[in-house]
Amino acid sequence: QAPDLPNEFPPLKDPGTPSPLPTPPTAFVGRDADVERLRRVLAEHRLITLVGPPGVGKSRLAAELANRSLAGFADGLVRVDLTSLGDDIADLLSKALGVSSRRDRTALESVIEWLRGRELLLVLDQCDGSTVEAGSLAGAVLAAAPSVTVVATCRSALSIPGEIVHHVDPLAHDDALALVAGRLADAAEVGSTDDLATLVDELDNLPLALEVAAASTSTYTWSEMLEVLRGPVHARIESPMRPVAAAIALGFDHLDDSLREMLTGATVFAGAFDRDAFAAVCAPGVSPGAAAAGLADLVERSLVVAGSGAQPNRFRVLHAVRDVVEVRGSARTRTEAEDRLAEWVARFVDE
């Protein structure tokens, strides 16, 4: 041994160890209680799926949850973005982890071997286009790597054993206003507070739509944005304030005929509705059980929003979903639903 060399060296760093997620540059608004509740759930369960409509903030909530939970995972966390699948999910995960596949093993086998024995939080983000594949991957990882925990985001549940589903709702009205105000130096310069409050409601309190609206203030005032959103439906869908239309359209197109007709019927309600009204107006000729199952399926797919708090049995269709259904749904189905709604209301007036 050379006399001028040290006798001990620090351990080699594992090049595959994942790093924390980058901190988003904007303030996190309105979901602190959700994060703390989910952290407690994460301590007891190994798979949480954040479910909600496009633009509701599932990815941001997942990132905040992961970063605040990082101290509980000795080997850190890693996020895999599944927005566009050019590769197999297992290949995407192996690349995110920095795991090299061996010729005698599949990418999934190599990933599982690497994960086995590690204490790691895995975020599978935006699983919408690959729900079945993401569920299969998550199930395989959880079965083979007992110290790995998974947080997934999707418009619907992965539907695998052990999954805890958390429905992500649009922001509360005051939180939505705070989000917009926090993105601008002076929100009052863009228009009146009444116009802003109305705009927030028109955008369904969806964080992505609100972010886009705030970013559009160099071009539009609040009142001008409202004019766009109250204009022809094609203009509304193509408006920068409707950034979620394409994702909603994809979800609508994937429905079977029965669910498509039910959702089209549900757009005739001006506000919230209950199960009985849905069955009478949107699901004629089917059993109450089948109507309830259809409504539950639409909620599961995040195309209908279920109430919470004091109104858990009330449901509503977001403005953005209405716009898409108006373009892609059957006009005849909607007209027939309007007639049934009029009959339904008349029954209560007569009583």
Side-chain angles (χ1 to χ4, degrees):
Q1 175 179 324
D4 56 340
L5 290 180
N7 293 323
E8 297 182 1
F9 296 89
L12 293 176
K13 180 181 179 181
D14 182 350
T17 299
S19 302
L21 298 181
T23 302
T26 53
F28 183 68
V29 177
R31 306 225 194 259
D32 285 316
D34 288 338
V35 172
E36 294 310 310
R37 181 166 57 253
L38 287 168
R39 287 184 66 189
R40 293 192 291 272
V41 174
L42 208 59
E44 302 292 334
H45 301 274
R46 297 177 55 218
L47 172 60
I48 295 177
T49 303
L50 307 181
V51 171
V56 79
K58 301 182 294 293
S59 296
R60 181 65 188 271
L61 178 58
E64 196 71 23
L65 172 62
N67 284 337
R68 294 194 196 181
S69 304
L70 182 59
F73 296 91
D75 294 299
L77 64 93
V78 67
R79 171 184 175 269
V80 184
D81 186 351
L82 304 180
T83 305
S84 62
L85 280 176
D87 296 318
D88 177 78
I89 291 183
D91 288 332
L92 291 174
L93 180 54
S94 67
K95 290 175 184 177
L97 293 171
V99 176
S100 299
S101 297
R102 291 167 41 179
R103 291 184 178 180
D104 59 337
R105 298 193 178 188
T106 66
L108 179 58
E109 290 170 340
S110 298
V111 163
I112 286 177
E113 180 184 23
W114 190 91
L115 288 173
R116 188 178 288 117
R118 281 183 164 83
E119 189 177 1
L120 180 139
L121 177 58
L122 172 62
V123 179
L124 299 177
D125 198 15
Q126 305 195 64
C127 301
D128 307 301
S130 53
T131 306
V132 174
E133 294 86 350
S136 177
L137 173 69
V141 167
L142 293 172
S147 295
V148 172
T149 296
V150 176
V151 173
T153 73
C154 195
R155 289 198 299 272
S156 59
L158 301 184
S159 300
I160 63 174
E163 179 182 30
I164 300 298
V165 176
H166 175 79
H167 288 276
V168 183
D169 296 323
L171 291 172
H173 182 75
D174 288 347
D175 290 330
L177 289 173
L179 186 151
V180 175
R183 303 301 188 261
L184 302 173
D186 187 356
E189 290 185 355
V190 188
S192 74
T193 55
D194 288 343
D195 282 344
L196 174 57
T198 303
L199 177 67
V200 163
D201 289 337
E202 288 282 342
L203 293 174
D204 300 308
N205 297 339
L206 293 175
L208 177 58
L210 298 170
E211 294 276 9
V212 173
S216 301
T217 53
S218 60
T219 307
Y220 299 94
T221 64
W222 302 135
S223 63
E224 288 170 340
M225 292 184 199
L226 284 172
E227 287 180 16
V228 172
L229 293 175
R230 291 168 176 172
V233 65
H234 288 281
R236 296 199 300 268
I237 289 178
E238 295 170 3
S239 162
M241 274 71 74
R242 283 280 192 257
V244 299
I248 293 170
L250 183 63
F252 181 79
D253 291 345
H254 283 174
L255 297 176
D256 61 32
D257 290 343
S258 176
L259 286 176
R260 197 175 295 125
E261 290 181 2
M262 288 183 185
L263 180 58
T264 300
T267 63
V268 305
F269 292 104
F273 53 89
D274 61 17
R275 290 184 178 86
D276 290 340
F278 179 86
V281 174
C282 310
V286 304
S287 68
L295 177 57
D297 201 346
L298 292 172
V299 171
E300 175 67 21
R301 296 169 186 263
S302 300
L303 291 168
V304 172
V305 176
S308 58
Q311 294 185 316
N313 297 316
R314 304 284 289 177
F315 306 86
R316 64 189 178 95
V317 179
L318 299 179
H319 290 91
V321 175
R322 292 175 187 274
D323 288 347
V324 170
V325 173
E326 184 174 342
V327 171
R328 307 177 87 87
S330 164
R332 178 179 177 179
T333 298
R334 180 176 173 84
T335 298
E336 291 173 349
E338 288 173 341
D339 292 340
R340 289 190 295 271
L341 176 59
E343 294 172 1
W344 170 260
V345 172
R347 287 175 47 196
F348 291 97
V349 173
D350 293 339
E351 292 176 358

